[in-house]
Amino acid sequence: MTRSPTMKGSLITPAGRRLMWRSAVISVFLISFAFFSIWAFYHYRPTGPMAWLLALLPSLGIIGQMAVFGVYLSEEKDELNVAILVKSMLWSIGGTLSVTTVWGYLEAFAHIRRLELLWVYPIFVVFQTISSLLVRWRYR
Amino acid sequence: MKNRLRVLRAERDWSQADLAERLEVSRQSVNAIETGKFDPSLPLAFKLARLFETTIEEIFTDEANA
């Protein structure tokens, strides 16, 4: 039988390790792009295509993270890990949609403070972190 | 779904980690399957059956028919 030399019954699979590495690299780019864009807008007040480019730069990291999740789902051979990620993402999407929809109605009718759309992904990350811990705990 | 994984494993003196390594899955997966918290896919169930040289029905029991 061919055995994975790196797995040895551990909790983290090779695909899981690659997910963590890729996510860490993407996070560095995301944070760097975000700080760079804020710095550039604060100091140079760009307009036109440059403003568009700088505004879109931080979102590349988020799109990259979604791609990393997609690659992980195609690479991961451990069914439980796939199930945990899929379930936690569904809970996260549900939670994010609920919070942003409720906030949107409160904004429209109760005139509460406006929620910038760029906060949607951080809200998703909070839900993703909590739900992945809870889903994983359920399978302990 | 009930299963006899713990018994089959004990007969061979395999730990959960040993079985996980042979199946190329995480130890947590083996534990979740063994405790009935997670039902494996058909390919993984066949892999288990091949590994223990038995049939899927000998390992897993449908609780509705138990």
Side-chain angles (χ1 to χ4, degrees):
Chain A
M1 182 191 294
T2 308
R3 291 182 199 169
S4 168
T6 53
M7 201 147 156
K8 294 177 182 168
S10 66
L11 286 175
I12 302 172
T13 61
R17 266 191 285 274
R18 285 196 293 276
L19 170 70
M20 286 196 293
W21 266 109
R22 288 166 184 163
S23 297
V25 171
I26 290 281
S27 298
V28 169
F29 276 106
L30 173 61
I31 293 165
S32 306
F33 287 163
F35 274 103
F36 176 72
S37 291
I38 292 165
W39 175 84
F41 270 101
Y42 185 79
H43 287 281
Y44 297 104
R45 309 268 176 207
T47 55
M50 185 54 75
W52 277 72
L53 188 70
L54 283 170
L56 289 173
L57 207 52
S59 63
L60 290 178
I62 292 162
I63 295 164
Q65 183 59 60
M66 291 296 125
V68 165
F69 279 133
V71 170
Y72 170 74
L73 286 176
S74 68
E75 286 181 349
E76 181 59 89
K77 290 182 173 61
D78 189 286
E79 296 171 6
L80 181 65
N81 284 340
V82 170
I84 287 171
L85 180 63
V86 170
K87 281 185 182 179
S88 66
M89 287 194 94
L90 285 173
W91 278 108
S92 315
I93 291 166
T96 307
L97 285 175
S98 302
V99 167
T100 50
T101 304
V102 167
W103 196 289
Y105 275 105
L106 288 172
E107 241 183 60
F109 300 115
H111 307 294
I112 65 165
R113 188 181 167 184
R114 183 171 158 70
L115 178 72
E116 296 290 343
L117 282 176
L118 59 86
W119 286 105
V120 170
Y121 185 69
I123 292 168
F124 173 81
V125 170
V126 170
F127 274 110
Q128 170 70 18
T129 305
I130 296 167
S131 61
S132 62
L133 288 172
L134 289 175
V135 173
R136 192 166 284 280
W137 177 76
R138 186 179 164 264
Y139 287 116
R140 274 185 67 205
Chain B
M1 193 159 50
K2 285 182 181 173
N3 64 77
R4 296 179 56 243
L5 273 186
R6 193 184 294 271
V7 175
L8 291 166
R9 204 166 46 75
E11 284 171 0
R12 287 155 182 82
D13 200 22
W14 290 347
S15 66
Q16 284 188 344
D18 293 332
L19 180 56
E21 193 182 343
R22 285 172 166 84
L23 290 171
E24 295 181 286
V25 299
S26 64
R27 192 189 55 74
Q28 192 185 18
S29 284
V30 170
N31 183 58
I33 294 168
E34 203 170 280
T35 53
K37 290 174 182 171
F38 180 73
D39 294 332
S41 67
L42 208 46
L44 186 56
F46 273 116
K47 202 170 180 179
L48 276 163
R50 275 198 303 274
L51 191 61
F52 289 117
E53 296 171 322
T54 183
T55 59
I56 290 175
E57 292 89 338
E58 284 295 317
I59 303 174
F60 297 98
T61 312
D62 182 6
E63 286 179 82
N65 295 330

